[in-house]
Amino acid sequence: MKITLVAACALIDGDGRVLVAQRPEGKALAGLWEFPGGKVEPGERPEETLIRELQEELGITVKEACLAPLTFASYPYETFHLLMPLWICRRWEGVIQKKEHQALQWQRPGRLRDIPMPPADEPLIPALIDLLGP
């Protein structure tokens, strides 16, 4: 089975909330809420992927020094196996805008289980709760 590497980021605001983005119509798992990020391209490091994807998806600039690895998820979908490391980021430049998603929202870590998320994102929630509290 093919392994797909996707880098994800938990952007954390000054109140300890995490940004989640709603997947757009027409894409797999449309309407579900996810952590921003994307597929790691050949020859690209995951940190480079996050910097590129956060600019493309949210219009913000993130410096690599502001990304800290937290945990990862390993999930078997029907046609591929997803490996998804999660970084946290508390500092960025620019104003967050929805460029590719239907909606954005800030959630307390303990409330992430109350919104529909892709099954691969769900195992990331306990590490965020441990770090930030419910």
Side-chain angles (χ1 to χ4, degrees), residues 8-86:
C9 187
L11 293 168
I12 301 169
D13 72 3
D15 292 329
R17 298 176 302 170
V18 178
L19 184 76
V20 289
Q22 191 175 34
R23 293 185 59 81
E25 291 300 323
K27 285 199 171 184
L29 306 172
L32 298 183
W33 294 88
E34 66 180 357
F35 300 106
K39 286 183 187 173
V40 177
E41 300 295 334
E44 189 175 50
R45 293 182 301 112
E47 294 87 349
E48 294 170 327
T49 299
L50 287 177
I51 291 167
R52 174 180 53 78
E53 290 282 349
L54 293 171
Q55 178 65 49
E56 290 173 5
E57 293 180 7
L58 302 173
I60 60 173
T61 301
V62 173
K63 293 188 168 109
E64 189 169 334
C66 295
L67 295 170
L70 179 64
T71 189
F72 73 96
S74 180
Y75 188 82
Y77 282 102
E78 263 187 52
T79 58
F80 66 96
H81 191 96
L82 181 73
L83 184 61
M84 185 166 54
L86 178 70

